[in-house]
Amino acid sequence: MMTDERKERTTVVTSGGGGAGWFIAGGLIVALIIGGFLLFGGALGGSEGSGINIDVPEKVIIETPEPAQ
């Protein structure tokens, strides 16, 4: 006599992702590289000075009055 035993079997089916997340991440990296190049390359004014020029004499002489006698 044959026994009809069935074991439970779990089947997991996975499919490849669309890759949209990698596409967005790559776009953000490219945008950061281009933005950094423009900012630090001078196209957006990042490398220019602030335009403030401070002229300080080489020697400062402080004169104090003579004490009254």
Side-chain angles (χ1 to χ4, degrees), residues 3-16:
T3 60
D4 190 18
E5 292 182 24
R6 293 188 180 189
K7 294 184 179 182
E8 291 184 26
R9 181 182 296 177
T10 303
T11 304
V12 178
V13 179
T14 60
S15 63

Side-chain angles (χ1 to χ4, degrees), residues 13-65:
V13 179
T14 60
S15 63
W22 287 110
F23 181 75
I24 292 172
L28 287 174
I29 290 171
V30 170
L32 285 173
I33 291 171
I34 292 173
F37 177 74
L38 291 175
L39 180 64
F40 296 113
L44 297 178
S47 66
E48 295 178 12
S50 61
I52 298 173
N53 190 10
I54 300 174
D55 294 325
V56 180
E58 292 181 20
K59 186 175 182 182
V60 177
I61 300 173
I62 301 175
E63 296 181 8
T64 56

